[in-house]
Amino acid sequence: MKAVVMAGGFGTRIQPLTNAAPKPMLPVLNKPMMEDVMIRLRDIGVKEFIVLLYFKPEVIQNYFGNGEDFGITIDYVIPDDDFGTAGAVKKAAPLIGKDRFIIVSGDLITDFNFQKILDAHEKNSAQVTLTLTSVSDPLQFGVVITDKKGKIQRFLEKPSWGEVFSDTINTGVYVFESEILDYIPENTNFDFSKDLFPKLMEENITLWGYDAKGYWRDVGNPNSYRDVMREILDGNVDIAFDGEKIEFESGVIYAKEGVKISKNVKVKGINVLGSNIQIGKDATLENSVIGNNTVVDKKATISGSTIWNDCYIGEKVVIKNSVICNNNVLEKKTEIPYGEIGRAS
């Protein structure tokens, strides 16, 4: 059993956050977002990973290396052109070999039970299993309808409201048997939903759907990135918070090593702090995440926001519902009261 992680996209819809790093490396709770899904797979016994790269591949390679530090092995594949989703996976065929494999996106935040997905695939003796879930707004996703047994009858990629026939969508998490690779042409732009799945149905290969329960979000733009952070800190995602738990009257801080918290700091909700952070006297933290080597000066207020690494937040600064990227300095009394995306560097 192997895992294939799709991590090659340009992330144009989420700029400027991707000016310096590929989207799967954007921090969620101070770790690259793709790390969480990889660790979830590792914890159910998947130890061999193939990561498909394209945009800024060295950033991902430098962080994860060969996977040894994470208790896994990682091979990297860098296609020399845009071959689409399925076409990129075809490039990994020599590494996949004859093994069953699960495909996940590197820009995905989910708490799905991956073991249940694999169990459903096994139970159905399936060649292909698509992980499905229900959403309130299906327009930006592939809509799917299944029969009572879970066999996919119909799907439509990114429908209009007049075309919507279901609120069940394709999450982009797939389990394949290796022979499915034979249906993907070499060196051709080939997409899962537009090309491969219709082709398999024409060949009378059953596509099975597994209706997964839990949290799922494709982090596609700055607003969805902010929404993910808010939903995590609101307790809507089954995800672990790293660091020492420090309890206050109206909230908690999860702090890693080297965090210094001054007197009279007001804490509301859940706040996650990286390493070597200073929080000044009378500062206020509310449902926020602060990255490594950052200083929050006295009487500053950070609410519903994510601060990346190596920032300085000056005295009496007010930040609400915002993302501040690496190496930013906010001078005294700066106000960002409505939600902004700070410069990515």
Side-chain angles (χ1 to χ4, degrees):
M1 180 72 194
K2 295 177 180 175
V4 176
V5 182
M6 311 290 288
F10 286 97
T12 52
R13 291 186 300 128
I14 201 169
Q15 288 179 345
L17 298 182
T18 49
N19 284 356
K23 185 164 58 168
M25 293 299 291
L26 299 185
V28 171
L29 300 182
N30 294 321
K31 293 184 291 188
M33 72 170 77
M34 68 182 282
E35 182 176 338
D36 182 70
V37 72
M38 293 172 70
I39 296 303
R40 289 177 188 270
L41 288 169
R42 179 203 67 186
D43 289 349
I44 64 166
V46 180
K47 297 298 176 67
E48 297 180 69
F49 286 76
I50 301 162
V51 180
L52 304 181
L53 304 175
Y54 195 70
F55 176 63
K56 295 185 182 294
E58 70 284 352
V59 177
I60 293 175
Q61 290 172 306
N62 290 342
Y63 182 86
F64 287 99
N66 63 7
E68 182 179 3
D69 291 344
F70 301 88
I72 57 178
T73 62
I74 300 177
D75 289 298
Y76 298 97
V77 175
I78 308 176
D80 55 6
D81 203 345
D82 180 7
F83 294 110
T85 51
V89 172
K90 181 72 170 185
K91 289 292 183 180
L95 293 170
I96 295 169
K98 299 299 182 181
D99 291 317
R100 175 182 297 168
F101 60 103
I102 184 170
I103 297 175
V104 295
S105 298
D107 56 0
L108 175 68
I109 297 296
T110 185
D111 59 12
F112 286 167
N113 186 322
F114 286 111
Q115 187 60 60
K116 289 185 176 180
I117 298 170
L118 298 178
D119 290 346
H121 182 83
E122 181 75 23
K123 178 182 177 181
N124 293 325
S125 299
Q127 291 177 283
V128 178
T129 298
L130 283 67
T131 305
L132 314 176
T133 199
S134 297
V135 297
S136 58
D137 182 3
L139 294 186
Q140 58 183 312
F141 307 107
V143 178
V144 181
I145 191 167
T146 64
D147 67 12
K148 292 181 179 179
K149 293 182 178 180
K151 296 180 181 180
I152 292 175
Q153 302 296 298
R154 184 183 174 198
F155 58 87
L156 183 65
E157 186 71 5
K158 297 184 179 179
S160 66
W161 271 119
E163 297 173 304
V164 168
F165 50 79
S166 170
D167 66 352
T168 302
I169 60 109
N170 173 12
T171 67
V173 177
Y174 311 129
V175 185
F176 287 170
E177 297 300 310
S178 61
E179 59 263 27
I180 295 301
L181 293 169
D182 295 338
Y183 295 89
I184 305 173
E186 297 272 5
N187 300 317
T188 301
N189 190 295
F190 210 68
D191 183 76
F192 286 126
S193 295
K194 295 178 182 178
D195 302 307
L196 179 61
F197 298 151
K199 183 176 183 179
L200 294 176
M201 294 181 81
E202 289 175 3
E203 297 285 343
N204 293 316
I205 293 175
T206 300
L207 306 183
W208 289 87
Y210 174 76
D211 189 9
K213 308 301 180 185
Y215 182 88
W216 176 89
R217 184 180 281 273
D218 169 26
V219 184
N221 56 56
N223 285 334
S224 64
Y225 179 76
R226 286 186 290 207
D227 289 343
V228 160
M229 303 305 294
R230 184 187 70 251
E231 288 160 355
I232 289 173
L233 297 178
D234 283 346
N236 296 327
V237 187
D238 183 11
I239 192 169
F241 300 111
D242 290 343
E244 177 189 359
K245 184 178 181 179
I246 306 171
E247 297 194 24
F248 293 77
E249 183 177 350
S250 300
V252 298
I253 285 177
Y254 291 87
K256 299 197 77 173
E257 65 277 359
V259 171
K260 297 180 181 179
I261 302 173
S262 301
K263 295 180 179 180
N264 299 324
V265 170
K266 302 176 184 66
V267 177
K268 303 176 184 178
I270 297 174
N271 299 270
V272 179
L273 309 187
S275 303
N276 304 315
I277 291 172
Q278 298 180 40
I279 307 296
K281 183 179 179 181
D282 295 316
T284 298
L285 303 181
E286 179 178 8
N287 289 336
S288 293
V289 179
I290 301 176
N292 302 332
N293 309 313
T294 289
V295 174
V296 178
D297 215 330
K298 61 185 178 180
K299 297 184 179 180
T301 296
I302 302 175
S303 176
S305 297
T306 298
I307 314 297
W308 292 4
N309 298 327
D310 302 294
C311 291
Y312 173 74
I313 311 301
E315 180 181 346
K316 295 184 179 180
V317 165
V318 176
I319 306 171
K320 295 184 179 180
N321 191 34
S322 299
V323 180
I324 307 299
C325 299
N326 294 335
N327 303 305
N328 272 292
V329 174
L330 274 66
E331 300 288 357
K332 181 177 181 179
K333 295 184 179 181
T334 298
E335 292 191 10
I336 309 177
Y338 303 116
E340 296 289 344
I341 301 296
R343 174 179 56 88
S345 60

